[in-house]
Amino acid sequence: MSSLRDVAERAQVAVSTVSAALNGTRPVAAATKRRIEQAAAELGYRPNLLARGLQSKRTRILALLFPAPRSGFGLTEMQFATGAAEAARELGYHLLLSPEHADPIEELRHLTGLGLVDGVLLMEVRLDDERTDFLTRAGVAFSMIGRTRDPGPIDYADIDFAATARDAVAHVAGLGHRKLAFFNHSTDAYAAQYGPAIRAGEEFARAAGAAGIGYVDDFRPGSAEEGGRAFEALMAAHPDVTALAVMDDHAAVGVLAAVAARGWRVPEDLTLMLVLSSSRVAEMFHPRLTTLEPPSAELGRLGARMLIDRLEGGPPGEGGPQGEGGPPEGGPPEGGPQRRLVPCRLVIGDSSAPPRPYHGGLDPEQGEPPYGRGSPNDLQNGSA
Amino acid sequence: MSSLRDVAERAQVAVSTVSAALNGTRPVAAATKRRIEQAAAELGYRPNLLARGLQSKRTRILALLFPAPRSGFGLTEMQFATGAAEAARELGYHLLLSPEHADPIEELRHLTGLGLVDGVLLMEVRLDDERTDFLTRAGVAFSMIGRTRDPGPIDYADIDFAATARDAVAHVAGLGHRKLAFFNHSTDAYAAQYGPAIRAGEEFARAAGAAGIGYVDDFRPGSAEEGGRAFEALMAAHPDVTALAVMDDHAAVGVLAAVAARGWRVPEDLTLMLVLSSSRVAEMFHPRLTTLEPPSAELGRLGARMLIDRLEGGPPGEGGPQGEGGPPEGGPPEGGPQRRLVPCRLVIGDSSAPPRPYHGGLDPEQGEPPYGRGSPNDLQNGSA
DNA sequence: CTGTTAGCGCGTTCAC
DNA sequence: GTGAACGCGCTAACAG
């Protein structure tokens, strides 16, 4: 690879002049500049990022901390990565994919100590996330995809759960449903700290309340089997529920099976929708399920962009508070943290329809329930 | 961040001694070494990767070229990335996620010119892939996940399609099926050059022939609708087919619907299996589909490992043949390219069963076909 | 406007 | 065994 010096020799100037000409660091005579640019082009010169980074203390490399794929891991997580990588590239940065495993903190200490990355992008952020403490303490720039319970001054991009829940409720209410059930993720060790599960649960309840429709969220099936059982239990306890929103893909499989088992059909007897599942997943179902598709790639892009903004905005203090332990005082540079909330996209499938007219004492074995009267008129799409 | 010099001062030695002690480059007195190590630990010293890279010409950073998510993109591709990243980490390397977009070659030229990466990992390799030419010509070390038509001296890790097809055929033949159909990916611009589609197609035909069972592969549905139509066409032309292997997830959805539409059931009336789909996807179906799950993470790991092996093996000639155009003469360092083929894992779901005893003139509307006689005896698992 | 010099943090010659 | 000096490729300070 040709270096700056090669270009300098070829253009008959000093190295520093080449550097200046190429970076616009200081004025260079037009003629000289032209010669330099031509020489650089002829040699196919590319600045060496390492040398530049060593000097400038800025590598233009970001690290995305990538958790070990747990169950329920899918397209969404991948799209964080691709979105972030693309945004980074567009802004002249690179994205390092750093797998997390046993000890995230040790991992982080190692990674940030290498001087290789300018900032870190966190995903799968838990409500209480030790990684954020470490990073702020270490004075490392970072942003989050998702957010902790109290993000404080940290930049983040997350799903707008309130808007998402409103859209979902508006959708089913617009179809005429009067009572909605919500199956959240299973309450295992992880989900207990998993932001989306918590926030979606809260916001669905709130949205249903605001819309004045009935609401049930007593079930948390984490598998197909549990999904089926939960649906049966739901019908037993709340036979007037006609619409169901499900967080867990596999649970939805069980629901569909249970619906079929009692001779019912979707959407005639039940409006079923996925929450936070990509439309690619929703299409795997039969019928194609309505879903609230998370804006994963967009969140990845935003996360990267926010981080870069911060990096460019003001070089973070060298080192930052080490072990002092005090919470960072005085807001972040240039007017407060960036907080971006983006709603899911409602993708209407073939599993949404008006509720059947009557349900009360109908014998399930009677088979074919009557078709709804109203034609499935234009479906409302909330705050898109 | 503390540097080598800080450690040197603290340990009362020269920088070069510290370097030597930490890297084992040359003998250092035990006592001195101990002092140095302690000083380093106390300061939390981490070698600066950029400085080291600048000096040693080796960054220990690999780039994974990540194609723009096309349709049909999923878990598999993500697992290449996570697998590669993990393997890299274990071996002391880092993985850069480099999104590809319009002009892959220009992208590559840029990336490799920066001096940031030691080698490149290619995925989604096409039968004729211009990227390989560029890389060999540019003298950049690389390996492939997947492979070109003629890989030549290039290291690669790919699916063992022959073994995979044998396993699939053995599975259905073991159940008693006598005629198998295979639905390949749709023949669009991409798939036409898409290795897995081609190779799977070839090997299934070969395996069926070797096993002496009937075989049909005239259909290439790329969507649910096409899948349904293809299934109907298949049944019309080959009513004696009792087992079906499908490459495209969405097509399988259509098949399932078509099966249900004619009052048939899986697996009683049709054994259905997915080919090259993760079990997570197979579980989304009802019934849970049997699948040949691609060893994606493993391929990612292997790809990274091979690349690193090559990097460590022998430092590639500086620059390599530039524009000379001649094919590289004399095999690669240390005995031939590495070629790793790993078979898919057969994950048996609820869609596999013996064929129904008779099929010929049976009226589909007759409903419930008789159950197969033989119990689904132990399923064969070919060359696992 | 341009050239010279210094130094980023490290590994690697060399003398000692 | 150890230390001092040089250079990787680049940017930044100063001189001219």
Side-chain angles (χ1 to χ4, degrees):
Chain A
M1 261 306 125
S2 54
S3 79
L4 209 54
R5 206 180 45 168
D6 301 330
V7 180
E9 284 177 3
R10 196 174 225 281
Q12 301 288 2
V13 289
V15 238
S16 64
T17 308
V18 179
S19 172
L22 263 30
N23 297 315
T25 302
R26 70 182 185 195
V28 172
T32 319
K33 186 169 178 179
R34 191 186 310 279
R35 271 215 326 282
I36 291 176
E37 282 169 348
Q38 181 172 347
E42 289 171 3
L43 288 156
Y45 167 77
R46 299 276 159 200
N48 183 310
L49 282 198
L50 284 101
R52 176 176 290 182
L54 185 57
Q55 161 62 30
S56 64
K57 298 296 206 179
R58 305 217 20 241
T59 62
R60 299 180 80 85
I61 299 178
L62 272 28
L64 174 68
L65 249 50
F66 206 83
R70 26 164 266 282
S71 108
F73 213 76
L75 284 325
T76 292
E77 286 73 13
M78 179 180 75
Q79 290 175 353
F80 289 156
T82 59
E86 276 176 9
R89 200 192 60 77
E90 286 162 12
L91 297 168
Y93 279 70
H94 291 272
L95 217 231
L96 216 55
L97 195 64
S98 275
E100 255 177 343
H101 53 160
D103 187 346
I105 297 299
E106 191 44 48
E107 200 82 6
L108 257 183
R109 191 192 317 281
H110 180 79
L111 181 66
T112 59
L114 265 16
L116 186 58
V117 305
D118 286 346
V120 172
L121 210 51
L122 252 36
M123 57 180 276
E124 297 276 310
V125 179
R126 299 160 55 110
L127 257 19
D128 291 301
D129 203 308
E130 47 178 4
R131 299 174 300 176
T132 62
D133 298 355
F134 173 81
L135 286 171
T136 61
R137 218 174 285 263
V140 177
F142 72 105
S143 68
M144 308 184 283
I145 299 172
R147 61 193 200 267
T148 55
R149 195 187 320 276
D150 175 22
I154 309 169
D155 297 337
Y156 65 80
D158 199 357
I159 292 170
D160 186 338
F161 292 96
T164 299
R166 274 200 307 275
D167 290 352
V169 170
H171 173 60
V172 297
L175 286 168
H177 295 269
R178 300 301 307 150
K179 190 161 181 180
L180 167 69
F182 178 76
F183 284 2
N184 207 329
H185 278 297
S186 75
T187 319
D188 64 7
Y190 189 85
Q193 265 277 57
Y194 187 52
I198 309 295
R199 296 199 173 90
E202 292 174 359
E203 296 297 345
F204 263 79
R206 194 187 319 264
I213 71 171
Y215 182 70
V216 195
D217 65 354
D218 306 325
F219 304 97
R220 300 170 139 47
S223 67
E225 290 68 29
E226 292 176 22
R229 282 202 298 274
F231 179 71
E232 285 304 333
L234 171 71
M235 284 298 113
H238 304 273
D240 51 339
V241 163
T242 56
L244 173 58
V246 179
M247 288 279 276
D248 188 294
D249 301 338
H250 287 86
V253 174
V255 169
L256 234 27
V259 167
R262 53 160 65 199
W264 284 11
R265 294 169 61 181
V266 168
E268 290 83 357
D269 304 286
L270 177 76
T271 284
L272 180 60
M273 64 190 304
L274 255 20
V275 180
L276 304 195
S277 281
S278 82
S279 59
R280 290 227 27 237
V281 168
E283 286 169 1
M284 298 276 82
F285 288 83
H286 186 76
R288 197 161 48 89
L289 260 33
T290 294
T291 188
L292 285 159
E293 180 169 55
S296 315
E298 179 66 11
L299 293 179
R301 304 186 71 85
L302 285 172
R305 197 188 309 269
M306 292 185 319
L307 181 50
I308 292 171
D309 279 356
R310 169 94 8 163
L311 254 17
E312 317 256 274
E318 315 246 12
Q322 284 264 21
E324 291 296 325
E329 226 108 81
E334 57 182 39
Q338 303 181 63
R339 303 177 172 177
R340 301 293 304 270
L341 254 28
V342 12
C344 288
R345 190 167 65 96
L346 177 63
V347 181
I348 297 173
D350 301 322
S351 66
S352 294
R356 45 174 152 45
Y358 179 70
H359 172 266
L362 199 68
D363 185 354
E365 297 195 5
Q366 202 170 312
E368 284 283 323
Y371 264 75
R373 334 135 271 204
S375 64
N377 49 353
D378 277 1
L379 308 169
Q380 294 206 28
N381 191 337
S383 60
Chain B
M1 261 306 124
S2 54
S3 80
L4 209 52
R5 206 180 44 167
D6 302 329
V7 180
E9 284 177 4
R10 196 174 225 281
Q12 301 287 3
V13 289
V15 240
S16 62
T17 309
V18 179
S19 172
L22 264 30
N23 296 315
T25 303
R26 71 182 183 194
V28 173
T32 319
K33 185 170 179 179
R34 191 186 310 277
R35 273 215 324 283
I36 291 176
E37 281 169 349
Q38 180 172 347
E42 288 171 3
L43 274 83
Y45 167 77
R46 298 275 159 203
N48 183 310
L49 280 198
L50 280 86
R52 175 176 290 183
L54 186 56
Q55 160 65 29
S56 64
K57 297 297 209 179
R58 306 217 18 240
T59 63
R60 300 180 79 85
I61 298 177
L62 272 27
L64 174 66
L65 249 50
F66 206 83
R70 25 165 267 280
S71 108
F73 213 73
L75 284 326
T76 293
E77 286 73 12
M78 179 180 74
Q79 290 175 355
F80 289 157
T82 60
E86 276 175 10
R89 201 191 61 77
E90 287 163 14
L91 297 169
Y93 279 70
H94 292 272
L95 217 229
L96 216 56
L97 194 63
S98 274
E100 257 178 342
H101 53 159
D103 187 345
I105 297 298
E106 192 44 48
E107 199 83 7
L108 257 184
R109 189 191 318 281
H110 180 79
L111 180 66
T112 58
L114 264 17
L116 187 56
V117 304
D118 287 345
V120 171
L121 210 51
L122 253 34
M123 56 181 276
E124 296 275 311
V125 179
R126 298 160 55 111
L127 256 20
D128 291 301
D129 204 307
E130 46 179 4
R131 298 174 300 176
T132 62
D133 297 354
F134 172 81
L135 286 170
T136 62
R137 218 173 286 262
V140 178
F142 72 105
S143 68
M144 308 185 283
I145 298 172
R147 61 193 201 267
T148 55
R149 196 186 320 275
D150 175 21
I154 309 171
D155 298 336
Y156 65 80
D158 199 358
I159 291 171
D160 186 338
F161 292 96
T164 299
R166 273 201 306 273
D167 290 351
V169 169
H171 173 60
V172 297
L175 286 167
H177 295 270
R178 300 300 308 150
K179 190 160 181 182
L180 166 71
F182 178 77
F183 283 3
N184 207 330
H185 279 297
S186 75
T187 319
D188 64 7
Y190 190 84
Q193 264 277 58
Y194 186 52
I198 308 295
R199 295 198 174 92
E202 291 174 358
E203 296 298 344
F204 264 79
R206 194 187 320 262
I213 71 171
Y215 181 72
V216 194
D217 65 355
D218 305 326
F219 305 96
R220 300 170 139 45
S223 67
E225 289 68 30
E226 291 176 23
R229 282 202 298 275
F231 178 71
E232 285 304 333
L234 171 71
M235 283 299 112
H238 304 274
D240 51 339
V241 163
T242 56
L244 173 59
V246 179
M247 288 279 276
D248 187 295
D249 301 338
H250 287 86
V253 174
V255 169
L256 234 27
V259 167
R262 53 161 65 198
W264 284 11
R265 296 168 63 181
V266 168
E268 289 83 356
D269 303 288
L270 177 76
T271 284
L272 181 59
M273 63 190 305
L274 254 22
V275 181
L276 303 195
S277 282
S278 83
S279 58
R280 291 227 27 235
V281 168
E283 286 169 1
M284 299 276 80
F285 289 83
H286 186 76
R288 196 160 48 88
L289 260 33
T290 293
T291 188
L292 285 160
E293 181 168 54
S296 314
E298 179 65 13
L299 292 179
R301 305 186 70 85
L302 285 172
R305 197 188 309 269
M306 291 185 320
L307 181 50
I308 292 171
D309 279 356
R310 169 98 6 167
L311 253 19
E312 317 257 275
E318 316 246 12
Q322 284 264 21
E324 291 297 325
E329 226 109 83
E334 57 181 39
Q338 302 182 63
R339 305 178 171 176
R340 301 291 305 268
L341 256 28
V342 12
C344 288
R345 190 167 65 96
L346 177 63
V347 180
I348 297 173
D350 301 321
S351 65
S352 293
R356 45 175 154 41
Y358 179 69
H359 173 268
L362 199 67
D363 186 354
E365 298 195 6
Q366 202 172 313
E368 284 283 323
Y371 266 74
R373 334 136 270 206
S375 64
N377 49 353
D378 275 2
L379 307 169
Q380 294 207 29
N381 192 338
S383 59

CSV table of all heavy atoms in Angstrom, one decimal, chain B residues 3-4 16 19 23 45 48 52 55, chain C residues 7-15:
chain,number,residue,atom,x,y,z
B,3,SER,N,0.1,3.6,29.1
B,3,SER,CA,0.8,3.0,28.0
B,3,SER,C,2.1,2.2,28.5
B,3,SER,O,2.4,2.2,29.7
B,3,SER,CB,1.3,4.1,27.1
B,3,SER,OG,2.4,4.7,27.6
B,4,LEU,N,2.7,1.7,27.5
B,4,LEU,CA,3.9,0.9,27.8
B,4,LEU,C,4.9,1.7,28.7
B,4,LEU,O,5.5,1.2,29.6
B,4,LEU,CB,4.5,0.5,26.5
B,4,LEU,CG,5.3,-0.9,26.5
B,4,LEU,CD1,4.4,-2.0,27.0
B,4,LEU,CD2,5.7,-1.2,25.1
B,16,SER,N,11.4,-1.2,26.3
B,16,SER,CA,11.7,-2.4,25.5
B,16,SER,C,11.6,-3.6,26.3
B,16,SER,O,11.2,-4.7,25.9
B,16,SER,CB,13.0,-2.3,24.7
B,16,SER,OG,14.0,-2.2,25.7
B,19,SER,N,8.0,-4.5,27.0
B,19,SER,CA,7.5,-5.1,25.7
B,19,SER,C,7.9,-6.6,25.7
B,19,SER,O,7.1,-7.5,25.5
B,19,SER,CB,8.0,-4.4,24.5
B,19,SER,OG,7.6,-5.1,23.4
B,23,ASN,N,5.4,-9.9,26.0
B,23,ASN,CA,5.2,-10.6,24.8
B,23,ASN,C,6.1,-11.9,24.7
B,23,ASN,O,5.9,-12.7,23.8
B,23,ASN,CB,5.5,-9.8,23.5
B,23,ASN,CG,4.6,-8.6,23.5
B,23,ASN,OD1,3.4,-8.7,23.6
B,23,ASN,ND2,5.1,-7.4,23.2
B,45,TYR,N,-2.9,-2.0,32.6
B,45,TYR,CA,-2.3,-1.8,31.2
B,45,TYR,C,-2.9,-2.7,30.2
B,45,TYR,O,-3.1,-3.8,30.4
B,45,TYR,CB,-0.8,-2.0,31.3
B,45,TYR,CG,-0.2,-2.0,29.9
B,45,TYR,CD1,0.0,-0.9,29.1
B,45,TYR,CD2,0.1,-3.3,29.3
B,45,TYR,CE1,0.5,-0.9,27.9
B,45,TYR,CE2,0.6,-3.3,28.0
B,45,TYR,CZ,0.8,-2.2,27.3
B,45,TYR,OH,1.3,-2.2,26.0
B,48,ASN,N,-2.1,-1.0,23.2
B,48,ASN,CA,-2.9,-0.3,22.2
B,48,ASN,C,-2.8,-1.0,20.9
B,48,ASN,O,-1.7,-1.1,20.3
B,48,ASN,CB,-2.3,1.2,22.1
B,48,ASN,CG,-3.1,2.0,21.2
B,48,ASN,OD1,-3.4,1.5,20.0
B,48,ASN,ND2,-3.6,3.1,21.6
B,52,ARG,N,0.2,-1.2,18.0
B,52,ARG,CA,0.8,-2.5,17.7
B,52,ARG,C,0.6,-2.8,16.3
B,52,ARG,O,1.5,-3.4,15.6
B,52,ARG,CB,0.1,-3.5,18.6
B,52,ARG,CG,0.5,-4.9,18.3
B,52,ARG,CD,-0.1,-5.9,19.2
B,52,ARG,NE,0.4,-5.8,20.6
B,52,ARG,CZ,0.1,-6.6,21.6
B,52,ARG,NH1,-0.8,-7.5,21.4
B,52,ARG,NH2,0.7,-6.5,22.8
B,55,GLN,N,2.8,-1.0,13.9
B,55,GLN,CA,4.2,-1.5,13.9
B,55,GLN,C,4.3,-2.9,13.2
B,55,GLN,O,5.2,-3.2,12.4
B,55,GLN,CB,4.6,-1.6,15.4
B,55,GLN,CG,5.8,-2.6,15.6
B,55,GLN,CD,7.0,-2.1,15.0
B,55,GLN,OE1,7.2,-0.9,14.8
B,55,GLN,NE2,7.9,-3.0,14.6
C,7,DG,P,8.9,15.4,21.1
C,7,DG,OP1,8.8,16.2,22.4
C,7,DG,OP2,10.1,14.6,20.8
C,7,DG,O5',7.7,14.5,20.9
C,7,DG,C5',6.3,15.0,20.9
C,7,DG,C4',5.4,14.0,20.4
C,7,DG,O4',5.5,13.8,19.0
C,7,DG,C3',5.6,12.6,21.1
C,7,DG,O3',4.4,12.1,21.5
C,7,DG,C2',6.2,11.8,20.0
C,7,DG,C1',5.5,12.4,18.8
C,7,DG,N9,6.1,12.1,17.5
C,7,DG,C8,7.5,11.9,17.2
C,7,DG,N7,7.7,11.7,15.9
C,7,DG,C5,6.4,11.7,15.3
C,7,DG,C6,6.1,11.5,14.0
C,7,DG,O6,6.8,11.3,13.0
C,7,DG,N1,4.7,11.7,13.8
C,7,DG,C2,3.8,12.0,14.8
C,7,DG,N2,2.5,12.1,14.5
C,7,DG,N3,4.1,12.1,16.1
C,7,DG,C4,5.5,12.0,16.3
C,8,DC,P,4.2,11.1,22.6
C,8,DC,OP1,4.1,11.8,23.9
C,8,DC,OP2,5.3,10.1,22.5
C,8,DC,O5',2.9,10.3,22.3
C,8,DC,C5',1.7,11.0,22.0
C,8,DC,C4',0.8,10.2,21.1
C,8,DC,O4',1.3,10.3,19.8
C,8,DC,C3',0.9,8.7,21.4
C,8,DC,O3',-0.1,8.3,22.3
C,8,DC,C2',0.8,8.0,20.1
C,8,DC,C1',1.1,9.1,19.0
C,8,DC,N1,2.3,8.9,18.2
C,8,DC,C2,2.1,8.9,16.8
C,8,DC,O2,1.0,9.0,16.3
C,8,DC,N3,3.2,8.7,16.0
C,8,DC,C4,4.4,8.6,16.6
C,8,DC,N4,5.5,8.5,15.8
C,8,DC,C5,4.6,8.7,18.0
C,8,DC,C6,3.5,8.8,18.7
C,9,DG,P,0.2,7.7,23.7
C,9,DG,OP1,-1.1,7.7,24.4
C,9,DG,OP2,1.4,8.4,24.3
C,9,DG,O5',0.6,6.2,23.4
C,9,DG,C5',-0.4,5.3,22.9
C,9,DG,C4',0.3,4.1,22.4
C,9,DG,O4',1.2,4.4,21.3
C,9,DG,C3',1.1,3.4,23.5
C,9,DG,O3',0.7,2.1,23.6
C,9,DG,C2',2.5,3.5,22.9
C,9,DG,C1',2.3,3.7,21.4
C,9,DG,N9,3.4,4.4,20.8
C,9,DG,C8,4.1,5.5,21.2
C,9,DG,N7,4.9,6.0,20.4
C,9,DG,C5,4.8,5.1,19.3
C,9,DG,C6,5.5,5.2,18.0
C,9,DG,O6,6.4,5.9,17.7
C,9,DG,N1,5.1,4.1,17.2
C,9,DG,C2,4.2,3.2,17.5
C,9,DG,N2,3.9,2.3,16.6
C,9,DG,N3,3.5,3.2,18.7
C,9,DG,C4,3.9,4.2,19.5
C,10,DC,P,1.4,0.9,24.4
C,10,DC,OP1,0.4,0.0,24.8
C,10,DC,OP2,2.3,1.6,25.3
C,10,DC,O5',2.3,0.2,23.3
C,10,DC,C5',1.6,-0.5,22.3
C,10,DC,C4',2.6,-0.9,21.2
C,10,DC,O4',3.3,0.3,20.8
C,10,DC,C3',3.7,-1.9,21.6
C,10,DC,O3',3.3,-3.1,21.1
C,10,DC,C2',4.9,-1.3,20.9
C,10,DC,C1',4.5,-0.1,20.2
C,10,DC,N1,5.5,1.0,20.4
C,10,DC,C2,6.3,1.3,19.3
C,10,DC,O2,6.3,0.6,18.3
C,10,DC,N3,7.2,2.4,19.5
C,10,DC,C4,7.2,3.1,20.6
C,10,DC,N4,8.1,4.1,20.7
C,10,DC,C5,6.3,2.8,21.7
C,10,DC,C6,5.5,1.8,21.5
C,11,DG,P,4.1,-4.4,21.5
C,11,DG,OP1,3.2,-5.6,21.3
C,11,DG,OP2,4.7,-4.1,22.8
C,11,DG,O5',5.2,-4.5,20.4
C,11,DG,C5',4.8,-4.9,19.1
C,11,DG,C4',6.0,-4.9,18.2
C,11,DG,O4',6.7,-3.6,18.2
C,11,DG,C3',7.1,-5.9,18.5
C,11,DG,O3',7.6,-6.5,17.3
C,11,DG,C2',8.2,-5.1,19.2
C,11,DG,C1',8.0,-3.7,18.5
C,11,DG,N9,8.4,-2.6,19.3
C,11,DG,C8,8.0,-2.3,20.6
C,11,DG,N7,8.5,-1.2,21.1
C,11,DG,C5,9.3,-0.7,20.1
C,11,DG,C6,10.1,0.5,20.0
C,11,DG,O6,10.2,1.3,20.9
C,11,DG,N1,10.7,0.6,18.8
C,11,DG,C2,10.6,-0.3,17.7
C,11,DG,N2,11.3,0.0,16.6
C,11,DG,N3,9.9,-1.4,17.8
C,11,DG,C4,9.2,-1.5,19.0
C,12,DT,P,8.5,-7.7,17.2
C,12,DT,OP1,7.8,-8.8,16.5
C,12,DT,OP2,9.1,-7.9,18.6
C,12,DT,O5',9.7,-7.2,16.3
C,12,DT,C5',9.7,-5.9,15.8
C,12,DT,C4',11.1,-5.3,15.5
C,12,DT,O4',11.3,-4.2,16.4
C,12,DT,C3',12.2,-6.3,15.8
C,12,DT,O3',13.2,-6.1,14.8
C,12,DT,C2',12.8,-5.9,17.2
C,12,DT,C1',12.5,-4.4,17.1
C,12,DT,N1,12.4,-3.7,18.4
C,12,DT,C2,13.1,-2.5,18.6
C,12,DT,O2,13.8,-1.9,17.7
C,12,DT,N3,12.9,-1.9,19.8
C,12,DT,C4,12.2,-2.4,20.9
C,12,DT,O4,12.1,-1.9,21.9
C,12,DT,C5,11.5,-3.7,20.6
C,12,DT,C7,10.7,-4.3,21.6
C,12,DT,C6,11.7,-4.3,19.4
C,13,DT,P,14.2,-7.4,14.5
C,13,DT,OP1,14.8,-7.0,13.2
C,13,DT,OP2,13.5,-8.6,14.6
C,13,DT,O5',15.3,-7.3,15.6
C,13,DT,C5',16.7,-7.2,15.3
C,13,DT,C4',17.0,-5.8,14.7
C,13,DT,O4',16.2,-4.8,15.3
C,13,DT,C3',18.5,-5.4,14.9
C,13,DT,O3',19.1,-5.4,13.6
C,13,DT,C2',18.4,-4.0,15.5
C,13,DT,C1',17.0,-3.8,15.9
C,13,DT,N1,16.7,-3.9,17.3
C,13,DT,C2,17.0,-2.8,18.1
C,13,DT,O2,17.5,-1.8,17.7
C,13,DT,N3,16.7,-2.9,19.4
C,13,DT,C4,16.1,-4.0,20.1
C,13,DT,O4,15.9,-4.0,21.3
C,13,DT,C5,15.8,-5.1,19.2
C,13,DT,C7,15.2,-6.3,19.8
C,13,DT,C6,16.1,-5.0,17.9
C,14,DC,P,20.6,-5.6,13.4
C,14,DC,OP1,20.9,-5.5,11.9
C,14,DC,OP2,20.9,-6.8,14.2
C,14,DC,O5',21.2,-4.3,14.0
C,14,DC,C5',22.2,-4.4,15.0
C,14,DC,C4',22.2,-3.2,15.9
C,14,DC,O4',21.0,-3.2,16.7
C,14,DC,C3',23.3,-3.2,16.8
C,14,DC,O3',24.4,-2.4,16.3
C,14,DC,C2',22.8,-2.6,18.1
C,14,DC,C1',21.3,-2.7,18.0
C,14,DC,N1,20.6,-3.6,18.9
C,14,DC,C2,20.3,-3.2,20.2
C,14,DC,O2,20.5,-2.0,20.5
C,14,DC,N3,19.6,-4.0,21.1
C,14,DC,C4,19.4,-5.3,20.7
C,14,DC,N4,18.8,-6.0,21.6
C,14,DC,C5,19.8,-5.8,19.5
C,14,DC,C6,20.4,-5.0,18.6
C,15,DA,P,25.8,-2.7,16.6
C,15,DA,OP1,26.6,-2.5,15.4
C,15,DA,OP2,26.0,-3.9,17.4
C,15,DA,O5',26.2,-1.5,17.6
C,15,DA,C5',26.9,-1.6,18.7
C,15,DA,C4',26.3,-0.9,19.9
C,15,DA,O4',25.0,-1.4,20.2
C,15,DA,C3',27.2,-1.0,21.1
C,15,DA,O3',27.4,0.3,21.7
C,15,DA,C2',26.3,-1.9,22.1
C,15,DA,C1',24.9,-1.8,21.6
C,15,DA,N9,24.3,-3.1,21.6
C,15,DA,C8,24.4,-4.1,20.7
C,15,DA,N7,23.7,-5.2,21.0
C,15,DA,C5,23.1,-4.8,22.2
C,15,DA,C6,22.2,-5.5,23.1
C,15,DA,N6,21.8,-6.8,22.8
C,15,DA,N1,21.8,-4.9,24.2
C,15,DA,C2,22.2,-3.6,24.4
C,15,DA,N3,23.0,-2.9,23.7
C,15,DA,C4,23.4,-3.5,22.6
